[in-house]
Amino acid sequence: MTWNEAEYLDCLQSERRGYAWVMQHHGGLAPKEASEAALECYAYEPAEAPYRGLIFHDEAWHWAMLAIHGDRYVVEHPSWPIRHATTEPLSSQSTSASQHRGNTPRPLSKICARAPNS
């Protein structure tokens, strides 16, 4: 996928907000820690980076829940939603990453691993 800088930055900010929200409300992080975790997970990637934006193939909810509960959270808690309804207003403030997602394979090496109390 080719991103123009404005689209990329808009998507990056949106996903950072969503990730921080989940880390704060479901992971128990303080607001500052949640923001730091989001910056760590969603680091800026320069335009020439070969896989720029690949992390956007899954939503912030998913990456945060992986960090909080581990990679089996979906199996161990099947009643939990894929995306929490209250994170939607955060991502609707700007272009949602889901609008840019394609059928990109899951980046196994890029799982945000900042869990609470880690």
Side-chain angles (χ1 to χ4, degrees):
M1 162 130 217
T2 303
W3 300 85
N4 74 42
E5 192 66 9
E7 288 175 326
Y8 175 78
L9 291 174
D10 191 40
C11 200
L12 185 64
Q13 288 300 100
S14 175
E15 294 300 291
R16 283 176 175 169
R17 277 191 303 273
Y19 188 90
W21 187 94
V22 174
M23 294 303 280
Q24 184 178 354
H25 291 89
H26 293 276
L29 293 181
K32 183 178 179 191
E33 291 173 313
S35 293
E36 289 170 358
L39 288 171
E40 184 179 317
C41 181
Y42 287 94
Y44 175 83
E45 298 172 291
E48 62 276 359
Y51 301 109
R52 184 182 200 202
L54 185 59
I55 192 158
F56 299 147
H57 87 280
D58 269 328
E59 295 182 350
W61 168 264
H62 173 70
W63 295 124
M65 294 301 276
L66 280 175
I68 296 166
H69 299 288
D71 62 354
R72 295 191 42 83
Y73 86 91
V74 176
V75 175
E76 293 171 359
H77 303 282
S79 63
W80 289 359
I82 300 296
R83 182 190 70 227
H84 196 277
T86 57
T87 61
E88 189 59 34
L90 294 172
S91 60
S92 67
Q93 293 172 4
S94 59
T95 305
S96 170
S98 62
Q99 293 172 335
H100 297 291
R101 288 188 189 95
N103 293 323
T104 309
R106 185 174 189 193
L108 298 176
S109 63
K110 184 66 174 164
I111 295 178
C112 307
R114 169 107 184 234
N117 304 320
S118 64

